[in-house]
């Protein structure tokens, strides 16, 4: 609107220049000078207006960006807090299982009982692992013991599974290879897999 108003004034000034032809020469010069000054002042006013708009928009953008970054920081902090609570919940579930079964079960029948308890507390994680991987029952059993009895050494787990430590190390290597991992990455994979199975499923239900 302001730019349109300035354009109209400049157009009127041009028309006035044409009308000044009937005036005396000194008066023509004075009027044309004044009209020229008026036009220049209007152009300067327009430039100042444009600069103020751009500056204001820049400040608005800076304020918006700061607010947006703050929101992202709060959301990230809340997500980290929620994730930590979920890991704590997972630890409590595993502690509950360890309280009921302080040591791995030596017989297959007792392992089946442990497996049933584990699946009831972990929303069918073992079944999910069996379906989505090519691991054998004994390999699944090792994974179960490996993630629940995290404080035990491979030698101790081997004694409960009636294997030698060397056999258990080979088990661990074969399981990791089937999953496309190194032996050192297996425990982290199982923990993350269990975590995602529990809480990604819960998140999808909430949605």
């Amino acid at each position: 609107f302001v730019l349109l108003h300035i354009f109209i004034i400049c157009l009127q000034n041009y028309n006035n220049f044409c009308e000044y032809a009937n005036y005396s020469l000194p008066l023509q010069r004075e009027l044309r000078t004044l009209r020229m000054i008026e036009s220049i002042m209007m152009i300067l006013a327009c430039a100042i207006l444009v600069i103020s708009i751009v500056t204001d928009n820049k400040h608005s953008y800076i304020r918006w960006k700061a607010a947006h970054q703050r929101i992202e920081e709060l959301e990230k902090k809340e997500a980290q807090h929620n994730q930590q609570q979920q890991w704590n919940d997972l630890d409590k579930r595993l502690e509950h299982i360890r309280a009921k079964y302080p040591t791995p079960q030596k017989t297959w029948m007792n392992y089946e009982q442990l497996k049933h308890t584990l699946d009831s507390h972990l929303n069918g994680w073992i079944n999910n692992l069996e379906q989505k991987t090519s691991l054998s029952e004994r390999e699944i059993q090792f994974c179960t013991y490996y993630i629940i009895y995290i404080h035990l050494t491979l030698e101790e787990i081997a004694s409960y599974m009636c294997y030698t430590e060397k056999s258990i190390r080979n088990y661990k290597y074969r399981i990791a290879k089937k999953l496309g991992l190194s032996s050192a990455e297996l425990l982290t994979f199982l923990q993350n897999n269990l975590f995602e199975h529990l809480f990604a499923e819960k998140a999808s239900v909430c949605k």
Side-chain angles (χ1 to χ4, degrees):
F1 176 77
V2 174
L3 291 175
L4 180 62
H5 183 64
I6 292 172
F7 175 75
I8 292 172
I9 291 175
C10 291
L11 187 61
Q12 288 175 345
N13 287 345
Y14 175 78
N15 292 332
N16 289 332
F17 285 165
C18 299
E19 293 175 2
Y20 294 158
N22 299 324
Y23 298 165
S24 63
L25 190 59
L27 184 57
Q28 284 183 34
R29 289 175 180 171
E30 184 177 358
L31 288 172
R32 284 175 179 170
T33 301
L34 290 172
R35 289 295 186 183
M36 187 66 69
I37 292 172
E38 181 185 33
S39 297
I40 292 171
M41 294 300 293
M42 292 300 294
I43 292 171
L44 288 174
C46 179
I48 292 169
L49 178 63
V50 170
I51 291 171
S52 66
I53 291 172
V54 170
T55 304
D56 186 59
N57 286 341
K58 184 179 179 181
H59 290 161
S60 298
Y61 172 75
I62 292 171
R63 287 193 295 270
W64 169 83
K65 189 174 181 181
H68 183 68
Q69 287 176 340
R70 179 59 178 162
I71 290 170
E72 285 186 333
E73 288 172 4
L74 291 174
E75 287 177 344
K76 184 178 179 181
K77 188 176 180 180
E78 182 64 19
Q80 289 173 341
H81 176 70
N82 289 340
Q83 190 178 64
Q84 186 58 51
Q85 285 186 323
Q86 290 170 340
W87 277 109
N88 292 341
D89 179 43
L90 176 56
D91 287 340
K92 288 178 182 177
R93 296 189 193 203
L94 294 177
E95 284 173 11
H96 181 81
I97 294 168
R98 281 193 290 268
K100 189 168 184 178
Y101 297 92
T103 58
Q105 305 303 296
K106 287 192 174 183
T107 67
W108 186 259
M109 184 180 295
N110 289 340
Y111 166 68
E112 286 292 320
Q113 293 173 351
L114 170 62
K115 177 181 173 182
H116 177 74
T117 303
L118 183 66
D119 266 353
S120 66
H121 283 82
L122 302 179
N123 300 352
W125 174 67
I126 293 180
N127 268 338
N128 183 68
L129 197 62
E130 289 172 342
Q131 292 169 9
K132 294 188 176 181
T133 65
S134 58
L135 301 181
S136 67
E137 287 187 340
R138 292 294 275 179
E139 288 171 337
I140 293 290
Q141 182 186 12
F142 170 78
C143 290
T144 303
Y145 288 168
Y146 194 43
I147 195 170
I148 296 175
Y149 303 105
I150 195 171
H151 57 287
L152 296 181
T153 64
L154 288 181
E155 182 181 4
E156 290 171 321
I157 292 176
S159 68
Y160 285 110
M161 291 184 68
C162 300
Y163 284 126
T164 64
E165 182 182 355
K166 183 178 179 181
S167 296
I168 285 297
R169 289 191 181 280
N170 289 335
Y171 248 75
K172 182 182 176 184
Y173 172 79
R174 287 199 304 272
I175 292 169
K177 190 174 181 180
K178 283 184 179 181
L179 297 173
L181 307 166
S182 68
S183 294
E185 296 170 325
L186 181 59
L187 180 60
T188 300
F189 168 81
L190 292 173
Q191 290 172 330
N192 289 335
N193 183 270
L194 176 55
F195 181 87
E196 289 171 7
H197 174 75
L198 289 174
F199 300 109
E201 186 179 84
K202 185 183 289 186
S204 65
V205 171
C206 293
K207 289 180 182 178

